[in-house]
């Protein structure tokens, strides 16, 4: 193959490697290109996790032959393969062999061994079943993170030919691109896993939460949020859009949402009175897309072009998540102070609290004053704000 053809092949495979982290099915195309270029009968990428191989002897490194044995949990390996069934390559004996082979390799190091030299290995039967009796297993360690390793292996029918030597050099020339692509792939996997965990927490959180656009369209809402807005006179959802009927609540959410999505602030938490009553709403807004300053990852949030805000909201009059025992332990209040504080947070007035406990209203005021003094607070709204924020974690 001419230098022009070699350059064309290199450009083509590098492009595919660079696109593979976004489109994982392209790893199969990378293997197909490598096998066509080198004449390999089998090609596969293998990921080995957490150093489960327990090697005795030398796993084969540099350009020498592999000797030694080990044990590896096949569940800790992942394979993308052509020319051999994935299930065959993931059998415990095969995984054990490649785990041992890569244990002592540094990044970019190569491994090769003739199949005929493996006859005395414990894994010999499984290796013959996977690859036959003749040929050369050649591999290259692409990357490692601690004991986690990612390698490329090719089964070539011949060894020692000039063409194979040249082909090995060409395969090794794409190592930097494979390493960069692997790093990108790992970061995308981490982001996806984080997004999935965040969405699980979001969906199952007791705090009502929704992802909201600037036009108040709901991108996603959890079950608690749907329950909150159902038959609620102050806030609801119509045709997928948040409707706010309480003027004070509407003014605060609109103003905070504009500031959040414009990037002027990262987060805002505010307590809103409902009329002249002592209770109301606790509202929290934060940026929920990756291009925000204070990022909360959600798969659905990063899939929309505009910025999206995470709205968390509680109506204090419906706050039944606070339990006196938990408030007592967390805030260091007495049992009576914690009980009265929870009753106040649930929407009861001082008169109602006094009647339920068969004490005077002054006694309730004194006990609330004692609780606030213990917490360094001076006004009831401060106490309600604290209890509402505490309820976000209960």
């Amino acid at each position: 193959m001419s230098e022009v053809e070699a350059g064309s092949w290199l450009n083509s495979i590098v492009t595919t490697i660079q696109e593979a982290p976004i489109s994982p099915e392209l790893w199969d195309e990378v293997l197909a290109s490598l096998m066509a270029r080198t004449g390999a009968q089998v090609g596969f990428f293998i990921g080995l996790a957490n150093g489960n191989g327990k090697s005795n002897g030398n796993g084969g490194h540099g350009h020498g032959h592999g000797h030694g044995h080990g044990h590896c949990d096949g569940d800790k390996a992942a394979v993308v393969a052509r020319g051999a069934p994935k299930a065959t390559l993931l059998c415990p004996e095969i995984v054990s062999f490649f785990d041992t082979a890569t244990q002592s390799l540094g990044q970019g190091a190569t491994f090769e061994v003739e199949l005929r030299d493996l006859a005395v290995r414990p894994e010999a039967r499984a290796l013959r079943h996977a690859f036959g009796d003749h040929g050369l297993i050649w591999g290259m360690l692409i990357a490692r993170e601690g004991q986690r390793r990612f390698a490329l292996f090719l089964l070539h029918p011949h060894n020692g030919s000039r063409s194979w030597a040249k082909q090995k050099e060409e395969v090794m020339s794409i190592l930097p691109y494979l390493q960069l692509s692997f790093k990108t792939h790992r970061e995308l996997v981490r982001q996806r896993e984080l997004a999935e965990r965040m969405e699980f927490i979001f969906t199952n959180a007791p705090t009502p939460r929704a992802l909201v656009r600037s036009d108040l369209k709901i991108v996603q809402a959890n079950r608690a949020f749907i329950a909150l807005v159902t038959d609620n006179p102050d806030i609801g959802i119509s045709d997928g859009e948040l409707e706010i009927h309480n003027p004070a609540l509407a003014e605060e959410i609109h103003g905070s949402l504009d500031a959040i999505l414009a990037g002027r602030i990262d987060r805002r938490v505010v307590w809103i009175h409902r009329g002249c009553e002592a209770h109301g709403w606790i509202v929290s807004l934060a940026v929920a897309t990756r291009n925000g300053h204070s990022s909360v990852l959600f798969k659905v949030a990063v899939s929309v072009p505009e910025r999206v805000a995470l709205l968390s909201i509680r109506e204090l009059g419906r706050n039944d998540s606070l339990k006196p025992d938990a408030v007592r332990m967390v805030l260091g209040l007495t049992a009576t102070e914690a009980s009265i504080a929870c009753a106040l947070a649930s929407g009861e007035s001082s008169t109602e609290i006094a009647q339920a406990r068969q004490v005077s209203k002054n006694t309730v005021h004194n006990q609330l004053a004692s609780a606030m003094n213990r917490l360094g607070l001076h006004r009831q709204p401060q106490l309600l704000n604290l209890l509402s924020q505490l309820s976000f974690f209960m």
Side-chain angles (χ1 to χ4, degrees), residues 262-280:
R264 295 194 297 271
I265 58 175
D266 297 338
R267 182 180 178 89
R268 180 168 172 79
V269 180
V270 62
W271 180 72
I272 303 165
H273 291 269
R274 191 169 64 186
C276 61
E277 300 177 18
H279 63 291

Side-chain angles (χ1 to χ4, degrees), residues 141-213:
L141 188 67
I142 297 169
R144 72 182 306 150
E145 297 175 349
Q147 288 299 316
R148 185 187 299 272
R149 285 146 288 143
F150 183 65
L152 165 68
F153 282 93
L154 299 171
L155 175 67
H156 199 274
H158 307 292
N159 184 27
S161 66
R162 291 183 179 179
S163 61
W164 170 235
K166 176 65 174 177
Q167 290 158 3
K168 284 191 292 185
E169 292 180 6
E170 291 178 344
V171 174
M172 291 179 67
S173 72
I174 66 173
L175 175 63
Y177 305 101
L178 289 170
Q179 289 175 328
L180 181 59
S181 187
F182 171 77
K183 183 178 180 180
T184 303
H185 171 78
R186 289 292 303 154
E187 182 58 31
L188 290 174
V189 169
R190 290 189 186 101
Q191 289 186 6
R192 185 170 62 249
E193 291 172 347
L194 176 59
E196 290 171 352
R197 288 196 298 270
M198 291 300 298
E199 288 207 8
F200 177 81
I201 294 170
F202 170 85
T203 301
N204 295 281
T207 299
R209 288 175 176 153
L211 296 171
V212 186
R213 299 191 323 194

Side-chain angles (χ1 to χ4, degrees), residues 113-127:
V113 62
E114 292 277 359
L115 281 170
R116 65 171 178 265
D117 293 333
L118 299 176
V120 297
R121 290 288 297 258
E123 308 93 343
R125 182 176 179 181
L127 289 167

Side-chain angles (χ1 to χ4, degrees), residues 309-337:
L310 174 64
L311 169 66
S312 304
I313 185 168
R314 275 194 183 276
E315 185 179 7
L316 300 186
R318 295 188 180 186
N319 193 344
D320 58 358
S321 65
L322 289 174
K323 305 301 180 186
D325 284 346
V327 172
R328 176 181 58 81
M329 289 187 292
V330 173
L331 299 182
L333 303 179
T334 67
T336 300
E337 291 167 351

Side-chain angles (χ1 to χ4, degrees), residues 50-86:
N50 302 328
N52 289 286
K54 299 176 182 178
S55 170
N56 294 311
N58 187 341
H61 54 84
H63 292 275
H65 301 302
H67 303 285
H69 59 277
H71 170 74
C72 182
D73 182 355
D75 292 337
K76 298 299 183 181
V79 167
V80 177
R82 285 183 68 92
K86 180 178 177 180

